Amino acid sequence: MSETAHPSSLAALSQAGVSIWLDDLSRERLRSGTLERDIEDSSIVGVTTNPSIFAAAVAGSDQYDSQIADLAARGVEVDEAVRMITTADVREACDVLRPVYEATDGVDGRVSIEVDPRFARDTDATIAEAKQLWWLVDRPNVMIKIPGTVEGLPAITQAIALGISVNVTLIFSLERYREVVDAFLAGLEQARDNGHDLSRIGSVASFFISRVDAEVDGRLDAIGPDSPARGTAALANARLAFEHHEQVLASDRWAALAEAGAHPQRPLWASTSVKDDAYADTLYVDELVTAGTVNTMPQATIDAFADHGVAKDGDWDTVRGSYEQARADFARLADAGVDIDDVTAQLEDEGIEKFVASWEELLATVKTQMGA
């Protein structure tokens, strides 16, 4: 088995069974044809968005001016204006990716849009928002992003039961991931009983990576310098999540749903841009290669992996077989005094706060432009 860094590294990653999704969207990218070229040249088969991405897109482009002016002329409230702007971009991206969706039998070709993050602790509002976004985008290849909070769990089940495809976001802990998987399975069982075609329902579970290392490494540095446990937490966390995924796929419960046509809920590696310059900028791609997963990357990470990511010919997997080492890494963190449960609970709260702040920034930007 050979290892090379070359421009076709992205193609090799795709051939290894990792679906490459772009963690970015803007009207400029859509109108310039850049997204279509990404699909052709960079093996991109999906798109994820979040409030931060939309805030940057609207603030940084005049492509939205005409629509914002029309919305202002109609007296549309700013919250609804933001929904109209963001769903328009997602609908157009869904159309661009529709051929991928059809070619992969609905597995890829997906575009995700997030419910209002201010509803992250409100089950009923999250369900209502998910239904509204599903209706507004009106494309079979859209995924509605629901946060993996305690309050989000029943919303995940109810949305899937209605036939809505769901991207569960902001997952940090293994315990919460297991709860998310149970919510997904319960939703599929209800969808089957409701007469929905399970083969059309897609779902991914977005497990955040780099933020875990950033928080754990900070705590290790506070305890003492040069800890050998630095840079181990995020990968161990993700690999043990994948072990659970494999166990679910081997269960009788999943076998019954697969028989009814269901696709697995794939683990999605999110927050894959490295936040510590001491680590390789492709770390969270290189070390999370296994078939049946999604890696959603910002443009910089995609470019870095295409330029110098390590691609392997043949049997390429950096996850399966790593579970005992992952458990040993967790034990070492505990011995060092790091409470991983406290880490992940803090990261969930901070993640919601950051998305709410970005959403409010987006609202403020659109409100200013509508006023102008």
Side-chain angles (χ1 to χ4, degrees), residues 227-239:
S227 170
R230 287 187 99 259
T232 64
L235 294 176
N237 208 30
R239 287 166 172 165

Side-chain angles (χ1 to χ4, degrees), residues 71-72 74-84 363 366-367 370:
L71 291 165
R74 291 168 49 214
V76 175
E77 295 293 329
V78 67
D79 282 53
E80 274 310 302
V82 166
R83 286 188 185 89
M84 298 302 292
L363 290 171
V366 171
K367 183 176 181 178
M370 289 176 74

